[in-house]
Amino acid sequence: MTDLIAVEDTTDPSAVVPAPPPKAPAWWRTPDFRKWRIRPKLVALVMIPVLAALLLAGLRINSGLAISAAYSRLATFARVLPALDNVVDALQAERDVSTALLVGSGAVDYSPLKPLRDKTDAAARTLTAQAKDVDTSHDRTLRAQLQEALGKLSGIGDLRATVDTHSTAVAGNTNADYSATIQGLLNLTGQLSAHTGNGDIARRSLALQSLSGVKEAASEQRGILYGALLRGSFEGTATTLAAAHTTGNAFFISFQANTTPQGLAKYQSTVGGSSVDTVNRIVLLALATNTLKGLGTTSEDWWRASSEQISLLGKVQDNRRADLIAGIDSLRQHARNEAIASAAFVAVVLLLALIATVLVARSILRPLQRLRRSAHNIAYEQLPETVRQVQDGEIDGSSAHVEPISVPNNDEIGQVARAFDEVHTEAVRLAAQQAAMRTNVNKMFVNLSRRSQTLVERQLHLIDDLEAGEQDADQLANLFALDHLATRMRRNDENLLVLAGAEGGRQRKDPVPMLDVLRAASAEVEQYSRVRLTAQAGVELLGPAANDVIHLLAELLENATNFSPPSTLVRVRASNPHLDGDAVIEVEDEGIGMSAEELEAANEELASPRGMDVSMTALMGLFVVARLAQRHGISVQLRAARPHGVTAVVRLPAAILLTKDFSPLTDDAVKAQVPLASSPIFDALQSEWFTPHPPEPEILAPVAAMDRMSPAAVLASQPSNWASPGDEGWRVAQDIFSSSGSVEADAVTSAGLPVRVPGRQLIPGSASPQPAPAAAAATRAPSDARALSNFQQGVQRGRIGTPANGRHSQDDVRDQDDQEAR
């Protein structure tokens, strides 16, 4: 509550505002580096490594790593070339044999194709597996060509099916389809020259590609003459043979132009011998004579000689391919070494920059660390502890000493340290002022609450006196309402005491039964008639905690009745103590309920109550409940009820309980066991008089019937073992009614009571029963309940000798507290 009150600060501003720090000389004029201002220090700290990284790492390392990565991708692709050439060799042999068999005459044996096809399939599987390692993310053209070549290779089965038809008419198409598949694979070799920025590697790649063309032309010549020799005719062969021969010569010229002298010498030394001379002689003779006569060879000899030439070309191809891969690896390693050298150079520069940075940073970090440690210690340890001591009155805030932070520098860090010292001093001073203000406000609240409590107590006693002598039912109803309002005012005063941290004025010494605690709590709620109680006999609360528990339950019941429809009930259930000795009281309503977020926030506040502020004024009762629960170790938790509403679960610790025996006891079955301040008549009629809602049928019928019965009939309806000094008069009245009927009365009030006439004497029971008004027949007003309560009180006082000004109705615990407080 003290946080809601603003107090004007009349302190002289000049006493708290620190003087401006002395102006430091320009940093460039100060030879001492430690006296530089913070900005040039930070610039020197940041600029040296940034410039070194931008100028060296950006220009050297990135370039070297990019080149090395490009050559790595190229080397990976180059290592696929052996598998690719193996597929080409197998396809060339399969093509040449397949075409030759198709154009051959007579019966042809196709069994030689099976080992050739198996070799092609094995080479194709190897190529497909290795092609997955090729990185084509940087080259869409390479990716497209690779996918196209592999796609044609996977469709070789359809081409073989055509060959197996043994149709001579498809021989030309078969040869073209094989050649297209082979050419697609050979084109991949040309991608090496298109994706390197090195001229030497590009020339080596072109030389390898040209050599592959020479070998392809030699393979075509082998197939053309092999087919012609098989069928024994050179018709239609000269043109295709001449084209293949010309293509081979053109590729050889390209190879000579792009290969190194060592590569050309390797070719000349490798591709030679009798087989190569025989092949060249036969091809030139066939082209010159345009006939097979005079060639001096058979199909088998020709196949063997031409295949030997192709094998020699393959050896040169392997040599040139290995030379290409070695060149790429060399460039890749060179680029990597260059990147490493650049990185090492940059590392040296950065090391020098780091040394300079450390020298600069030490003059900043040391005082900053000292300032941080001191500020952290002040903020989280010294200042909270000093504030606590000031608020608890252990030390005088006006004389509290603040130890300055040990940062002697005259730069911005030192100025911040001095400013923080001033803030520390001001915080201690304000804490002292706030503690004094809070103490004064709390005292004021306690004073006002005590005075208001005294007036309310006097008001309650005055109302008691008026109730004791009042006979009019309407006036009794008004007095009862006034009594109830005063009771609620007293609880509000106690709320102020709780929030101010003071103890309440009412204290008890003797234990209080659980049901009496629940009744006393419900009696302090405006809509008490909606409350249904269920308790366990044999459970009592210790006196020092009883009033606080009553207060706590009253706040919960107030909320439950205010935030639920008037037509619903609020049920309070007090269960047996658990195995750990704790007892649980549940307050359940059927109201609007709370969201999950609201329940979480409320339970958090109930578990650990904090100080009051403006945002918490709407939940004043919640804070009172939390404070009261904290006093006695009581746990209060809210949870959603089913199907709607809220259930407040109050767990009472065993330390504040006394237990005897256990049996169920409810306010709807009070007649089973008579609790403190009760009577048979009151217990029998309590549900009907204090409840505007129809109770259960078996309870409603006899109680509602009393509303229309004569006093003698009411007496007859009571248990036979109940007696009082006025019973004899009631029996006489019953005899008179039995013998001569009812005795007529002059008039009755609106409540059905006889109007007293001076001088006229009526015996008990002589007033004839009058029909009650329609509204009264349906429900009883609280005033009628008060009238019946007064009747019960008189009987109770006569039996137990209670003083005339004592009340043993729903406020019995409250009045006993009043008497003890007085």
Side-chain angles (χ1 to χ4, degrees):
M1 294 295 292
T2 58
D3 297 336
L4 304 179
I5 301 177
V7 178
E8 182 180 0
D9 189 359
T10 58
T11 306
D12 184 8
S14 62
V16 297
V17 178
K23 186 176 182 181
W27 63 273
W28 61 85
R29 299 177 183 175
T30 305
D32 190 357
F33 186 77
R34 295 175 299 176
K35 295 182 179 179
W36 280 18
R37 298 181 66 86
I38 192 68
R39 181 172 296 176
K41 289 182 179 179
L42 292 177
V43 171
L45 177 66
V46 174
M47 291 303 296
I48 294 177
V50 168
L51 291 177
L54 290 178
L55 294 178
L56 299 176
L59 295 177
R60 302 293 297 274
I61 298 178
N62 291 340
S63 176
L65 291 177
I67 295 174
S68 178
Y71 282 124
S72 295
R73 292 192 296 270
L74 198 62
T76 303
F77 176 60
R79 287 185 174 84
V80 181
L81 293 180
L84 187 147
D85 290 338
N86 290 336
V87 175
V88 170
D89 291 343
L91 279 175
Q92 288 173 343
E94 184 180 341
R95 175 195 62 187
D96 295 344
V97 173
S98 298
T99 305
L101 293 177
L102 285 175
V103 299
S105 60
V108 181
D109 183 12
Y110 284 88
S111 59
L113 283 178
K114 186 178 185 310
L116 296 177
R117 289 176 177 179
D118 293 341
K119 183 178 180 180
T120 301
D121 293 340
R125 288 193 296 270
T126 303
L127 175 62
T128 303
Q130 293 184 5
K132 296 178 181 179
D133 298 331
V134 178
D135 184 4
T136 60
S137 59
H138 293 74
D139 189 349
R140 291 181 294 179
T141 303
L142 176 61
R143 181 168 59 253
Q145 288 189 358
L146 183 60
Q147 291 175 353
E148 181 182 1
L150 294 178
K152 289 182 179 180
L153 187 60
S154 63
I156 196 69
D158 296 336
L159 188 56
R160 290 170 177 172
T162 304
V163 175
D164 293 340
T165 61
H166 313 302
S167 175
T168 305
V170 301
N173 294 335
T174 300
N175 184 75
D177 291 340
Y178 269 109
S179 298
T181 302
I182 293 171
Q183 191 59 46
L185 294 172
L186 293 177
N187 289 338
L188 291 174
T189 306
Q191 292 296 318
L192 287 173
S193 60
H195 295 86
T196 177
N198 185 274
D200 181 61
I201 296 299
R203 286 191 298 271
R204 295 185 188 186
S205 176
L206 288 174
L208 180 61
Q209 186 179 8
S210 299
L211 187 59
S212 298
V214 172
K215 193 176 70 166
E216 169 64 9
S219 175
E220 288 180 351
Q221 295 176 55
R222 180 183 60 179
I224 292 171
L225 284 177
Y226 182 64
L229 290 171
L230 283 177
R231 71 176 181 268
S233 173
F234 198 69
E235 182 180 357
T237 306
T239 303
T240 56
L241 182 62
H245 183 70
T246 303
T247 301
N249 290 336
F251 276 118
F252 181 73
I253 294 172
S254 176
F255 171 74
Q256 286 180 316
N258 290 287
T259 192
T260 62
Q262 295 81 3
L264 182 58
K266 183 68 175 178
Y267 177 87
Q268 292 173 347
S269 63
T270 302
V271 184
S274 60
S275 297
V276 175
D277 295 338
T278 300
V279 170
N280 290 333
R281 180 185 61 79
I282 292 174
V283 171
L284 292 176
L285 184 61
L287 290 175
T289 61
N290 197 21
T291 181
L292 297 177
K293 294 179 180 182
L295 296 182
T297 185
T298 63
S299 60
E300 290 78 6
D301 293 339
W302 165 251
W303 180 267
R304 184 168 48 254
S306 59
S307 297
E308 178 67 21
Q309 181 192 26
I310 293 173
S311 176
L312 295 176
L313 289 172
K315 291 181 179 180
V316 178
Q317 188 182 35
D318 293 342
N319 180 266
R320 293 297 87 202
R321 187 192 315 112
D323 182 66
L324 174 64
I325 294 175
I328 294 175
D329 285 339
S330 176
L331 291 176
R332 177 172 61 92
Q333 188 64 36
H334 177 73
R336 178 178 297 176
N337 293 338
E338 190 176 31
I340 293 174
S342 299
F345 176 76
V346 172
V348 172
V349 174
L350 288 178
L351 180 60
L352 296 176
L354 179 62
I355 294 174
T357 301
V358 169
L359 295 176
V360 175
R362 287 182 63 183
S363 63
I364 300 175
L365 293 179
R366 285 187 175 180
L368 274 178
Q369 290 174 352
R370 189 179 301 114
L371 176 61
R372 182 187 65 83
R373 287 194 300 266
S374 300
H376 188 278
N377 184 49
I378 291 172
Y380 294 100
E381 296 181 12
Q382 291 185 17
L383 184 57
E385 179 62 20
T386 303
V387 171
R388 185 196 64 78
Q389 292 177 351
V390 169
Q391 291 179 346
D392 294 345
E394 297 179 8
I395 61 174
D396 185 4
S398 59
S399 60
H401 175 66
V402 174
E403 186 71 24
I405 298 176
S406 177
V407 178
N409 292 13
N410 196 31
D411 57 7
E412 285 86 347
I413 299 177
Q415 296 171 15
V416 170
R418 302 289 77 78
F420 198 87
D421 291 339
E422 295 296 332
V423 171
H424 188 187
T425 303
E426 184 66 13
V428 173
R429 188 184 67 83
L430 291 178
Q433 288 185 352
Q434 188 180 31
M437 179 183 66
R438 183 180 294 109
T439 301
N440 293 335
V441 172
N442 286 345
K443 289 180 179 178
M444 179 181 65
F445 280 171
V446 172
N447 262 339
L448 292 176
S449 179
R450 297 294 188 193
R451 292 184 180 185
S452 178
Q453 277 186 314
T454 301
L455 296 177
V456 169
E457 298 295 343
R458 293 174 59 186
Q459 184 180 11
L460 286 172
H461 287 292
L462 180 59
I463 294 173
D464 288 344
D465 295 339
L466 294 175
E467 288 175 344
E470 183 60 54
Q471 300 297 326
D472 186 86
D474 294 334
Q475 290 300 326
L476 280 174
N478 292 333
L479 291 174
F480 179 79
L482 186 61
D483 183 286
H484 190 73
L485 288 176
T487 302
R488 295 176 61 198
M489 289 173 58
R490 181 175 62 181
R491 180 155 52 87
N492 289 336
D493 291 335
E494 292 176 350
N495 286 348
L496 291 178
L497 290 177
V498 171
L499 296 177
E503 295 291 336
R506 298 181 295 167
Q507 295 293 333
R508 301 180 60 82
K509 296 180 180 179
D510 300 329
V512 181
M514 179 67 76
L515 184 59
D516 288 352
V517 170
L518 301 184
R519 284 176 173 172
S522 64
E524 295 194 3
V525 180
E526 181 179 6
Q527 304 179 50
Y528 62 89
S529 58
R530 295 170 48 199
V531 179
R532 292 293 179 272
L533 307 176
T534 302
Q536 301 293 333
V539 181
E540 296 181 343
L541 271 76
L542 296 181
N547 285 332
D548 286 343
V549 174
I550 293 172
H551 191 172
L552 183 151
L553 293 176
E555 293 293 340
L556 295 177
L557 288 172
E558 190 80 38
N559 283 341
T561 55
N562 288 340
F563 292 97
S564 60
S567 59
T568 62
L569 298 178
V570 175
R571 303 188 182 277
V572 182
R573 295 181 294 270
S575 64
N576 288 332
H578 296 180
L579 295 178
D580 55 3
D582 295 350
V584 175
I585 301 176
E586 294 184 355
V587 179
E588 181 179 358
D589 64 63
E590 301 176 12
I592 58 178
M594 301 173 68
S595 64
E597 293 78 9
E598 292 172 338
L599 284 174
E600 182 179 1
N603 286 326
E604 182 178 355
E605 184 61 38
L606 288 170
S608 55
R610 49 193 172 92
M612 288 288 296
D613 54 25
V614 176
S615 63
M616 304 304 176
T617 54
L619 302 174
M620 187 74 68
L622 184 67
F623 292 99
V624 172
V625 170
R627 295 283 181 85
L628 292 173
Q630 193 179 42
R631 285 183 182 177
H632 304 284
I634 300 173
S635 170
V636 181
Q637 186 177 18
L638 304 181
R639 65 188 183 194
R642 294 290 183 270
H644 49 77
V646 175
T647 299
V649 181
V650 181
R651 180 176 290 273
L652 304 178
I656 64 172
L657 297 176
L658 288 178
T659 57
K660 298 179 181 178
D661 56 355
F662 303 118
S663 61
L665 189 62
T666 68
D667 60 344
D668 292 332
V670 180
K671 58 181 176 292
Q673 298 186 23
V674 180
L676 177 67
S678 179
S679 67
I681 295 179
F682 178 73
D683 293 339
L685 300 180
Q686 185 184 26
S687 297
E688 173 67 16
W689 283 92
F690 285 87
T691 306
H693 313 284
E696 302 299 329
E698 61 271 12
I699 298 177
L700 174 64
V703 177
M706 295 181 184
D707 208 17
R708 299 180 296 274
M709 296 168 63
S710 66
V714 172
L715 178 63
S717 68
Q718 300 306 312
S720 59
N721 59 350
W722 188 84
S724 70
D727 291 348
E728 186 62 28
W730 287 92
R731 292 191 184 92
V732 173
Q734 184 178 15
D735 294 340
I736 295 175
F737 279 114
S738 300
S739 59
S740 59
S742 61
V743 178
E744 182 177 0
D746 291 341
V748 294
T749 65
S750 59
L753 299 177
V755 176
R756 300 183 63 181
V757 179
R760 181 165 183 175
Q761 298 181 6
L762 296 176
I763 62 174
S766 63
S768 62
Q770 298 294 331
T779 182
R780 282 286 185 176
S783 60
D784 298 334
R786 198 61 177 178
L788 181 60
S789 177
N790 284 334
F791 170 74
Q792 180 265 337
Q793 292 169 18
V795 176
Q796 187 71 10
R797 286 196 300 268
R799 290 181 173 181
I800 63 175
T802 304
N805 61 348
R807 299 200 314 277
H808 288 278
S809 62
Q810 297 171 345
D811 297 329
D812 55 324
V813 176
R814 183 198 65 198
D815 288 337
Q816 185 174 351
D817 295 338
D818 298 341
Q819 294 172 8
E820 293 180 358
R822 293 193 294 270

